[in-house]
């Protein structure tokens, strides 16, 4: 099989991602923010993917830096930064994702309660059936965390609804970032799938809570902002990190580059073009344009990752890595 050059791959992806946004274009659809909108569903799905990419690439950057591959670490960090501070933020703004503090809390309480009472208990049961005791214990522990978070968010909402009540609800503690060790998955089967699904949810929640924290700060509720920030750090730096270690998220830097490259190629040639075309058919002009921009960004990411993969893997000491 003939190997394609990084330039050739990048050009092919860029061409696929740059199709003109003309099909069925009409005036912007003002119903985009509606919960039943197909475009809104695609936007939220894209936000999940961007959040997951951000947290994953930060983990890949840490592994690259740990092995002395500073250039690759910088590439992962730069890609992660764009996924979080441009893509995720622009998607959230497009769909009016952040609402009032009370509305944000109501949505959050429902999500935390579902995870505490339905999702994580069922994942723990499946892990025990699959013989992965470590995952069962972790899912059970996280279920307890989410139940506690739901209680804190409920207390915060009660304090906002009743202006005579002091905001004396707990705010938790900020969890510092940790390195996720490289290694193979500790679980298989459905439990491995559940770990990956849970990681997507935790990554999304962590960035969503940061948006909610900024809104709470702007509306004059610093204690609520602190609560969102601290719980967001728990979701990302504790829950996601522990699940990622069991799922074998981090591998060698070369393998991490391959995984990232494949994901970016898929975003450039399949996922975002499909979102773009659906939005265009519905007349959601702004969404179609944003999806097209993100497809082009993904093509550029894939090209850079492909080029990095083709370079000799020399660390800061000049040692070659396999």
């Amino acid at each position: 099989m003939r190997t394609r050059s990084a330039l050739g791959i990048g050009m092919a992806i860029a061409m696929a991602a740059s199709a003109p946004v003309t099909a069925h274009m009409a005036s912007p659809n003002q119903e985009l923010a509606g919960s039943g909108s197909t475009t809104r569903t695609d936007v939220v799905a894209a936000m999940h993917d961007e959040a997951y990419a951000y947290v994953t690439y930060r983990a890949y950057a840490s592994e690259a830096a740990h092995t002395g591959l500073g250039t690759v670490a910088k590439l992962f960090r730069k890609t992660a930064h764009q996924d979080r501070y441009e893509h995720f933020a622009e998607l959230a703004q497009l769909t009016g994702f952040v609402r009032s503090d009370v509305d944000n809390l109501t949505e959050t309480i429902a999500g935390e309660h579902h995870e505490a009472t339905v999702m994580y208990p069922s994942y723990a049961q499946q892990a025990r059936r699959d013989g992965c005791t470590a995952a069962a214990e972790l899912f059970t522990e996280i279920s307890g965390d989410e139940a506690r978070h739901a209680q804190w968010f409920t207390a915060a909402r009660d304090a906002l609804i009743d202006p005579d009540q002091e905001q004396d609800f707990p705010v938790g503690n900020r969890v510092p970032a940790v390195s996720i060790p490289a290694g193979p998955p500790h679980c298989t089967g459905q439990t491995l799938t559940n770990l990956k699904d849970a990681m997507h949810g935790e990554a999304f929640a962590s960035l969503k809570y940061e948006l909610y924290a900024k809104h709470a700060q702007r509306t004059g509720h610093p204690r609520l902002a602190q609560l969102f920030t601290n719980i967001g750090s728990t979701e990302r730096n504790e829950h996601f990190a522990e699940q990622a270690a069991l799922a074998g998220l981090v591998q060698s830097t070369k393998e991490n580059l391959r995984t990232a490259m494949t994901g970016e190629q898929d975003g450039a040639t399949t996922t975002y073009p499909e979102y773009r075309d659906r939005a265009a058919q519905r007349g959601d002009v702004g969404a179609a344009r944003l999806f097209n921009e993100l497809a082009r960004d993904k093509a550029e990411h894939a090209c850079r990752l492909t080029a990095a993969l083709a370079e000799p893997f020399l660390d800061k000491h000049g040692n070659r890595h396999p």
Side-chain angles (χ1 to χ4, degrees):
M1 179 181 296
R2 186 175 62 183
T3 302
R4 299 175 65 185
S5 68
L7 178 60
I9 293 174
M11 290 179 62
I13 296 172
M15 291 175 63
S18 299
V21 187
T22 55
H24 301 89
M25 293 300 281
S27 61
N29 188 341
Q30 299 301 316
E31 298 180 354
L32 175 59
S35 61
S37 166
T38 300
T39 305
R40 177 180 169 81
T41 299
D42 287 343
V43 169
V44 175
M47 291 173 66
H48 275 80
D49 288 342
E50 296 296 334
Y52 182 80
Y54 165 73
V55 182
T56 297
Y57 292 165
R58 293 291 298 184
Y60 288 173
S62 178
E63 174 62 20
H66 176 70
T67 54
L69 301 172
T71 301
V72 179
K74 183 178 180 180
L75 172 61
F76 277 131
R77 284 195 294 267
K78 181 178 180 180
T79 306
H81 187 277
Q82 186 174 30
D83 287 342
R84 173 181 176 179
Y85 293 102
E86 293 184 26
H87 298 173
F88 186 88
E90 290 170 354
L91 289 162
Q93 183 177 11
L94 175 71
T95 195
F97 190 79
V98 178
R99 295 176 292 171
S100 71
D101 289 325
V102 171
D103 286 340
N104 292 340
L105 283 165
T106 298
E107 180 272 329
T108 297
I109 293 165
E112 296 283 341
H113 180 73
H114 173 78
E115 291 182 355
T117 61
V118 179
M119 190 184 87
Y120 279 118
S122 68
Y123 284 0
Q125 291 177 356
Q126 181 63 48
R128 284 190 285 271
R129 287 194 292 268
D130 289 343
C132 190
T133 303
E137 293 176 349
L138 177 59
F139 287 144
T140 300
E141 177 185 339
I142 295 177
S143 174
D145 288 347
E146 307 296 31
R148 184 165 54 256
H149 295 167
Q151 293 173 352
W152 292 354
F153 284 133
T154 300
R157 185 181 62 178
D158 291 345
L160 290 184
I161 292 174
D162 183 0
D164 294 329
Q165 182 176 340
E166 294 184 5
Q167 291 191 21
D168 58 353
F169 49 84
V171 297
N173 298 301
R174 189 156 192 166
V175 177
V178 297
S179 296
I180 300 170
H186 294 254
C187 306
T188 58
Q190 185 60 45
T191 293
L192 181 57
T193 299
N194 291 344
L195 280 167
K196 294 178 180 179
D197 287 344
M199 288 160 59
H200 275 81
E202 298 292 340
F204 175 70
S206 73
L207 296 196
K208 174 179 71 173
Y209 291 166
E210 291 196 359
L211 293 179
Y212 290 172
K214 290 180 181 178
H215 184 269
Q217 194 70 45
R218 288 195 299 267
T219 56
H221 300 110
R223 191 170 180 83
L224 176 58
Q226 186 179 5
L227 174 62
F228 275 128
T229 297
N230 289 344
I231 292 183
S233 72
T234 299
E235 308 281 28
R236 180 173 61 253
N237 298 330
E238 184 175 313
H239 296 174
F240 180 95
E242 292 174 347
Q243 292 165 353
L246 290 180
L249 174 72
V250 179
Q251 299 294 310
S252 70
T253 293
K254 182 168 286 189
E255 188 60 35
N256 293 338
L257 278 168
R258 290 195 186 98
T259 299
M261 180 185 65
T262 300
E264 297 296 316
Q265 288 175 346
D266 182 71
T269 61
T270 303
T271 304
Y272 280 118
E274 288 178 357
Y275 290 169
R276 174 197 64 207
D277 293 344
R278 279 200 292 266
Q281 290 170 1
R282 289 180 56 85
D284 290 327
V285 178
R289 287 173 178 165
L290 179 57
F291 287 142
N292 202 52
E293 290 175 9
L294 267 55
R296 288 199 298 267
D297 286 348
K298 295 298 178 183
E300 292 178 4
H301 293 174
C303 187
R304 294 192 188 106
L305 292 164
T306 301
L309 191 58
E311 292 294 324
F313 271 56
L314 301 177
D315 63 22
K316 62 184 178 181
H317 302 295
N319 299 319
R320 182 179 294 274
H321 286 244

